[in-house]
Amino acid sequence: MNRSRGYLLVLVALFAYFSWQLVTPFFQYVLAAVLLAFVLTPLQRRLEAYISPTLAAFSLLILALLGFIIPFVVVAAVIADDAAAMLESADPETLEIATIEDWIETETGFSVDITGTVVDSAEQIGSVLLEQTTAWFSVFTHALLGFGLALFLLYYLLKDGDVLIEWLRERTPLPDDVQDDLYGELNDVMWAVLAGHVLIAVVQGLIAGLGLFATGIPNATFWTFVMVILALIPLIGAFLVWGPAVVYLVASGEPILAIALFLYSAIVVGVSDDYLRPIVVDRYAELSPGIIILGVLGGVYAFGVMGLFFGPVLLGALVATLEVYDEHYERLESDDTESV
């Protein structure tokens, strides 16, 4: 019996490993589908009271496409265009490269041609990019397949999500009440990260971005996106953008606008963090700022962009699991002793 069980465990491990190899190339898109499914599942359950699960899932799939995916692609395109405009604005005349070349020659006695070097480098980079056309096409194809897979998974996670959860519960060797506590804690952690940190970061970034637009900061769309990302990290936040923006306005001869941006950002953005975050977080699990910082930074390295969301979730899930285990430890220990 033990030998048969060992063979079976080896087969499970092998199939799990090869299945993981199949999932890895599209892991980002799988995580995106799971995230959207989690957010939309409450709506799915409400719609199922009036229409069939299939129609409800298809309706929410269209909603996700129009409300999440397409806006995300549009915003990404705008940000990329803003970044390109920033690079184009940094031309040799603006940077006064000729003056730099004269200063280097005066100080060192060596004649340099920075402009020529940059042009030659640009030509070399252009030729490399041209040679990499096939690779770029491969990246585009992979992204297209990934988005298609994400939509496919989202539909079935919404339609059959309850079946999947029930399947997991039946195969988890824990009492039903312990599983209820565990899934409840995990649900609270997920909403705490999404509502208490991601949503607040988006609101903070947008509020701070309004100040940049109002005071005429160049490429405000790009910097607003940067502030949204920075606002995900506690103790850092949007100040790393609006602070230098205030300095930029002072250096540009706009002290009134600089004071206005400083007061707006320090008061309005600060108040939004002090009041909105406790209101939202208190409804769910309260996560330590240390967990958020480590989760966000480590999550980006481990999972890419989706790590911004799932990094803190994983650490919070570990804490929640340990709390459930500690709460039910004595009973689980006694159950194991009785089964032996």
Side-chain angles (χ1 to χ4, degrees):
M1 180 64 69
N2 290 336
R3 180 176 297 179
S4 299
R5 183 180 299 177
Y7 286 144
L8 186 59
L9 289 176
V10 170
L11 285 177
V12 170
L14 284 174
F15 286 129
Y17 171 76
F18 288 121
S19 298
W20 173 251
Q21 296 302 310
L22 296 176
V23 173
T24 300
F26 299 100
F27 192 53
Q28 292 282 330
Y29 301 96
V30 173
L31 290 179
V34 171
L35 181 66
L36 288 175
F38 178 83
V39 172
L40 295 174
T41 292
L43 287 176
Q44 171 75 16
R45 291 172 178 167
R46 291 190 179 186
L47 287 176
E48 287 179 358
Y50 305 98
I51 57 179
S52 67
T54 300
L55 185 58
F58 183 76
S59 301
L60 291 178
L61 183 66
I62 300 300
L63 174 64
L65 191 62
L66 297 177
F68 294 99
I69 298 176
I70 292 179
F72 175 80
V73 172
V74 172
V75 170
V78 172
I79 292 170
D81 184 66
D82 233 10
M86 291 173 61
L87 293 176
E88 291 177 0
S89 64
D91 54 47
E93 294 180 0
T94 303
L95 297 176
E96 299 182 351
I97 290 180
T99 304
I100 298 175
E101 292 174 346
D102 292 340
W103 180 82
I104 293 175
E105 185 174 3
T106 301
E107 295 294 326
T108 66
F110 294 100
S111 178
V112 295
D113 184 7
I114 298 177
T115 304
T117 303
V118 171
V119 170
D120 292 340
S121 300
E123 291 177 352
Q124 293 176 8
I125 294 173
S127 64
V128 170
L129 291 178
L130 186 61
E131 294 172 357
Q132 296 295 321
T133 302
T134 304
W136 286 111
F137 179 76
S138 176
V139 170
F140 174 77
T141 304
H142 181 268
L144 198 60
L145 290 173
F147 276 115
L149 175 63
L151 292 175
F152 182 83
L153 288 177
L154 175 60
Y155 171 78
Y156 280 101
L157 286 173
L158 290 171
K159 179 175 175 290
D160 300 324
D162 291 337
V163 177
L164 175 60
I165 294 297
E166 188 60 31
W167 181 86
L168 289 174
R169 289 180 66 98
E170 290 176 356
R171 280 150 185 81
T172 302
L174 290 173
D176 289 340
D177 60 330
V178 176
Q179 291 197 54
D180 291 339
D181 288 347
L182 179 59
Y183 287 126
E185 291 286 344
L186 295 179
N187 182 75
D188 288 345
V189 166
M190 191 76 168
W191 280 116
V193 172
L194 290 178
H197 297 282
V198 175
L199 179 61
I200 298 302
V202 172
V203 171
Q204 274 191 327
L206 293 178
I207 291 175
L210 291 176
L212 300 187
F213 280 103
T215 53
I217 297 296
N219 310 112
T221 302
F222 174 79
W223 293 116
T224 299
F225 170 76
V226 173
M227 285 192 292
V228 169
I229 300 300
L230 291 175
L232 289 169
I233 307 175
L235 308 179
I236 298 178
F239 172 76
L240 289 183
V241 172
W242 68 257
V246 171
V247 176
Y248 168 82
L249 290 173
V250 172
S252 301
E254 300 287 352
I256 303 299
L257 290 179
I259 294 173
L261 179 60
F262 174 81
L263 293 176
Y264 171 83
S265 300
I267 297 175
V268 177
V269 178
V271 166
S272 70
D273 183 68
D274 293 337
Y275 285 91
L276 285 180
R277 195 181 298 275
I279 290 174
V280 177
V281 173
D282 285 348
R283 294 184 55 190
Y284 306 105
E286 185 173 353
L287 297 180
S288 166
I291 290 178
I292 300 299
I293 292 175
L294 181 59
V296 168
L297 298 180
V300 170
Y301 277 97
F303 306 120
V305 175
M306 297 307 300
L308 290 170
F309 312 104
F310 283 97
V313 167
L314 286 176
L315 290 180
L318 173 61
V319 174
T321 303
L322 290 174
E323 290 178 351
V324 171
Y325 177 76
D326 180 66
E327 181 180 350
H328 297 275
Y329 173 76
E330 293 183 1
R331 204 185 92 198
L332 293 175
E333 188 72 17
S334 63
D335 290 345
D336 289 342
T337 302
E338 292 175 3
S339 64
V340 172

